Structure formats: structure tokens, C-alpha cells
Amino acid sequence: MKKLVLSRLQDFIKNRLNHEIKGTPVNPVKFETVGLDDSVLGKYIEEYKLNQSEIVVLLIALVPHISPEFFNNIIAEYLPNGGDFPEFGGVKGKNHRGLLPTGETALYILAGHDIDKRLEIAGLFDEEHLFAQKNILYLEPVPPGEPKMSGKLILDDEYIDLFISGKISRPKLGSDFPAQRIFTNFTWQNLVLKAKTLNEVYELETWLNYNEQLLEKWNLQDKIKPGYQVLFYGPSGTGKTLTACLLGKYTGRDVYRVDLSMVISKYIGETEKNLSGLFNKAENKNWILFFDEADSLFGKRTNVRDAHDKYANQEVSYLLQRVESYKGLVILASNMKGNIDSAFTRRFNAFVEFELPGVEERQKLWELYLPAKKFLQSNISPEELATNFELTGANIVNIVQYAGLLTIKKKNKRLEKEDLLLSIRKEYKKEGKILQK
């Protein structure tokens, strides 16, 4: 934010204070986007055609992140001996030493004591307003019984980064964001699936690439749900996570795997709160949300025997509503289709089964992941390995990795069949299987 913009905002606030405290006539300051035209913030204001009140609220929320002393310096001019100024609003932070603006701050700066104008400005914080719809800024919830407008004015972290540095920083896994971005360096050639499954995956890619055009150009926003929900089901290691990553990679979308251990809480209402924060953050970002091992959250509801069952079922109902209203792609992954609550499955747009690879797919996987022939003993045959051992792609990756490490440890130049078979036995044992051959 340029000095000229800070100066204009300062003049705007002082004009209000002069009128309210000193009784001087109102001298409206036209808050034009002077100094913002070539900035990301200026382009954002232009794109969404923000009016003067909206621009001022946006700048009020942003300025503490740039000039911590901004509000304190202005108020000090009018209260040189200190003292309380409740009309102006504002709160102190835990670490921040300056004043942090609240909804009351915005009402006072824009409307003073004009009740009708204050009611009008309060509408900027309604759920229907652009600020809420785009999750740009909001009022921090207040304790029961306290005025809503006394809540701290919160500008979303991503917009703070965008307006200050010109780019959005991706959120990181933490207590306030229970998801982690996942990606892959692999390509579609690395995804070995049966033809039917692969065709269904490509259909998802088609939705991701063209659904927005379908809704907007054909004017079908009110007839077709904007989001898409799909269930990936099948044994572990068959490519569900890799598929999600590739869909994101080839459609230009970030993929976030939801950490269900951080979402699910034994405390009543906490699970819904965690989910709400996640979906609010994801809105309008075009993210793909990937719920791995989704059974723990999307599992079948129980008969109500006690209060715990009642609230557990409420969590599922809330989740159903949020998943349905999400405008992007939501992928649930489960080992078994039958583990997912029928309330979800009835509303899914698609089911994609990831079957165990057959001989043909296993051979492709061995050919894909084994090192070049110059590093292999001549008696190692991908076709033979595929025929004799029922393994998933993840199993084969583990086997090649372990056998390769053994080869290097022995200072051998080539991977020996004996070490490969030893690695296969190890993988079978890990899976609780008995190797017959």
C-alpha cells in the first residue's frame, strides 16, 4: 500500500473525527483508488467494482498489517492525554501492541452516529455480501451477549499476502487448517489402471476442464450443481491418491488431502467447527479436496442410543451439507464402497472403482518401476513377476526400493533376482499374506 493511499485513508478518518468531536462540517473525502491502479489491490477493486465504503473497509482491515501504529497515531492527536474512546471501537491483540479495528471501527469511520448510515454499513458484513461470499473478510465471533460489531475485523491471510506481496501463499497444515497440499512429479503414463477405471478418471478431468464454461456460457447455474462429488474405492495401493494428484496437476488445481485426525474431535461441535474452517478456506479457490480413508468421517450413521450418537449423526448431516454446497471437486477415498453412509453415496456424482491390477497391469507396473536393463540381472522378467505375484503398484514400488538398497549395500552392479524375491517375501509378510511360490 503506497504512502499516498495511507495519507488518503488518514484524511478520511480525520474528517470523521473532526466532524464528530470538533463539530466541523462534513467535508467528504472522495476515496479514489489513487496510487492503487497498478497494484494487485487496485486491480481487485476495479474487477469487483467496489464502492467507496467497501474500499474503506478493506483498507481499514489491511492497514494494521502494514502500519501497526496507524490508528494509535491518529487517535493520539484527538486524545493527547490518553483516555478511552469506545465510539471508535478497536481491540488489543495478544502480540500486536497497536489498535486492531473492529466492526464498530468501520461503522464509526464511515457513518459516525448516523443510525441509518450505520445500518447500511453493517450490511457489508452480511453473508450475502461479496466479502463473505469470497471469504475476503469477516467479523470475528464475539462472546454471547456482546454486540456482533465489536468483533475484530479479520482479513483472510491469503488476501493479506495477495494485497501486500502480489501473490497468495498456500496454507500450511496446522491446527487452524487440517489439510496438506499433495502433488506428484509423475505423469499420466505412471498411472496404470484398468481401461474402465482410467476412462472414468478422464471423465473427471473433463468435468474439471469444462464445467465452468457449461455453467456460465449455457447459463445453467440455477439448474446444475456447481460442485462434483466422487467416491474412489478399492484396496490400498491401487492409485487413488496418485489419481487425485494427477487430476490437480493437469487441470491447474491444488489438491489438499484432509487430515481427518485433526478434523474429528470428541468434543461436541468441534468437528463441525474444524470442517467449517476448512470449507470456508477452500471456497472460491478451485481446490480439489481429497478425504483419504474417509470411512472414519463419512461412515454409516448409527442408531441413536445416547447423546454421543445423536451428535455424531449431526456431524455427518453437517458434513453432507458442506460437501454438497462446495463448488469444486470433492474426492472421498475408501477401501470399501459399503463403508460409506448411504446419505452420501446417494448424492455422489460418480463412483470410481480401483481394482487390484491384473497380470497385464502388473507387467506394466514392473516395467515402469524396475531400473534400466543395465542395472538388472538378465534372468529378471517383468512378465514372469507379473504372472507369479499378485501385487499392487504401491507394493511394487516398495519392493524395487528395498531390493535396490540391498544391491547398493552389497556393492553389486546389478539387481539380483534373489534380492528381488527377498523383497517380495518381505512385502507379502507386511501385508499378512503367505507367499506360495
Side-chain angles (χ1 to χ4, degrees):
M1 191 186 296
K2 298 182 179 179
K3 287 184 179 179
L4 182 58
V5 181
L6 289 175
S7 177
R8 183 63 60 86
L9 179 60
Q10 185 181 65
D11 291 343
F12 192 94
I13 296 172
K14 285 184 176 181
N15 178 63
R16 171 60 59 191
L17 291 168
N18 287 335
H19 175 69
E20 298 293 338
I21 295 176
K22 299 180 179 180
T24 59
V26 175
N27 180 26
V29 176
K30 288 294 182 182
F31 205 97
E32 301 167 356
T33 58
V34 177
L36 291 173
D37 297 338
D38 59 347
S39 68
V40 173
L41 178 56
K43 292 174 182 176
Y44 192 88
I45 290 170
E46 178 64 26
E47 179 183 356
Y48 289 101
K49 296 179 171 53
L50 301 187
N51 60 37
Q52 178 159 291
S53 296
E54 291 167 331
I55 295 171
V56 171
V57 169
L58 195 60
L59 294 177
I60 290 171
L62 179 61
V63 74
H65 301 277
I66 301 169
S67 179
E69 76 290 352
F70 183 81
F71 291 112
N72 294 76
N73 287 346
I74 293 175
I75 293 173
E77 291 185 31
Y78 295 85
L79 296 175
N81 298 320
D84 200 15
F85 194 179
E87 297 98 322
F88 196 82
V91 295
K92 294 286 186 180
K94 292 181 179 179
N95 297 325
H96 181 74
R97 302 296 297 274
L99 182 144
L100 293 171
T102 61
E104 292 169 345
T105 309
L107 293 184
Y108 184 82
I109 291 173
L110 285 164
H113 292 92
D114 185 331
I115 297 299
D116 291 336
K117 184 66 174 175
R118 290 173 73 91
L119 291 174
E120 177 187 329
I121 299 304
L124 300 180
F125 304 104
D126 289 343
E127 291 184 359
E128 294 76 19
H129 190 271
L130 171 73
F131 289 156
Q133 292 292 323
K134 297 291 183 181
N135 198 36
I136 301 169
L137 60 81
Y138 58 94
L139 295 177
E140 184 179 56
V142 297
E146 295 193 18
K148 174 184 175 182
M149 288 297 159
S150 65
K152 188 163 54 179
L153 194 55
I154 306 291
L155 185 62
D156 187 86
D157 289 343
E158 293 181 17
Y159 285 99
I160 295 172
D161 291 339
L162 179 64
F163 295 150
I164 292 177
S165 67
K167 60 183 180 180
I168 293 178
S169 299
R170 292 185 173 98
K172 293 179 173 59
L173 177 69
S175 58
D176 59 340
F177 185 72
Q180 185 171 28
R181 180 173 174 260
I182 55 175
F183 58 92
T184 181
N185 293 321
F186 287 162
T187 67
W188 284 121
Q189 285 67 40
N190 295 92
L191 184 65
V192 179
L193 300 172
K194 293 191 174 181
K196 177 178 177 294
T197 304
L198 198 56
N199 288 335
E200 291 171 344
V201 170
Y202 288 149
E203 288 175 7
L204 294 178
E205 186 183 26
T206 299
W207 183 88
L208 288 166
N209 283 328
Y210 302 111
N211 185 64
E212 189 172 335
Q213 295 180 44
L214 176 69
L215 295 178
E216 293 181 0
K217 291 186 177 180
W218 289 27
N219 197 28
L220 295 175
Q221 297 95 329
D222 298 329
K223 300 177 181 179
I224 298 176
K225 290 193 301 182
Y228 203 87
Q229 299 86 40
V230 59
L231 176 67
F232 286 2
Y233 67 99
S236 299
T238 49
K240 297 187 287 292
T241 302
L242 176 58
T243 298
C245 290
L246 289 171
L247 284 170
K249 179 177 181 177
Y250 284 95
T251 60
R253 288 166 168 79
D254 286 343
V255 183
Y256 281 89
R257 176 166 54 197
V258 181
D259 188 334
L260 294 179
S261 68
M262 299 180 69
V263 171
I264 300 172
S265 173
K266 64 181 180 180
Y267 298 106
I268 293 173
E270 282 298 305
T271 299
E272 291 94 324
K273 179 182 176 181
N274 295 337
L275 286 168
S276 178
L278 170 67
F279 278 102
N280 288 342
K281 196 78 169 176
E283 284 296 343
N284 306 300
K285 302 292 195 317
N286 275 333
W287 292 344
I288 296 174
L289 296 182
F290 181 69
F291 290 82
D292 198 8
E293 298 180 358
D295 314 53
S296 57
L297 189 58
F298 296 81
K300 293 182 177 180
R301 282 177 282 190
T302 62
N303 294 323
V304 178
R305 296 186 300 272
D306 53 32
H308 182 271
D309 291 337
K310 176 184 176 182
Y311 285 108
N313 290 344
Q314 286 181 2
E315 289 175 1
V316 176
S317 298
Y318 174 79
L319 184 56
L320 177 61
Q321 178 263 319
R322 290 311 301 259
V323 166
E324 275 200 299
S325 63
Y326 183 61
K327 295 179 181 178
L329 176 63
V330 176
I331 300 174
L332 273 62
S334 173
N335 290 344
M336 293 183 64
K337 179 181 177 183
N339 290 346
I340 303 298
D341 193 294
S342 60
F344 290 104
T345 57
R346 285 197 301 270
R347 292 169 171 83
F348 280 6
N349 297 91
F351 301 90
V352 181
E353 182 178 8
F354 288 73
E355 300 178 66
L356 288 170
V359 174
E360 181 181 347
E361 290 78 35
R362 292 199 294 270
Q363 182 174 341
K364 289 180 182 178
L365 288 165
W366 280 113
E367 291 170 348
L368 185 63
Y369 291 110
L370 280 171
K373 286 186 178 180
K374 66 179 180 178
F375 296 110
L376 294 176
Q377 200 174 52
S378 59
N379 61 348
I380 293 177
S381 164
E383 182 179 0
E384 179 186 346
L385 292 169
T387 302
N388 292 337
F389 305 107
E390 294 183 359
L391 297 161
T392 67
N395 294 144
I396 291 172
V397 170
N398 291 339
I399 290 164
V400 172
Q401 181 184 35
Y402 185 70
L405 292 172
L406 283 178
T407 302
I408 294 172
K409 179 181 178 181
K410 293 178 178 179
K411 295 183 170 52
N412 292 336
K413 293 184 178 180
R414 296 183 177 221
L415 191 155
E416 297 178 352
K417 188 173 184 179
E418 179 184 344
D419 288 334
L420 197 61
L421 293 174
L422 177 65
S423 301
I424 291 174
R425 291 190 188 94
K426 181 175 182 293
E427 193 69 13
Y428 263 67
K429 183 177 181 181
K430 186 185 77 175
E431 297 282 331
K433 300 177 182 177
I434 299 175
L435 184 60
Q436 302 291 344
K437 301 179 181 179

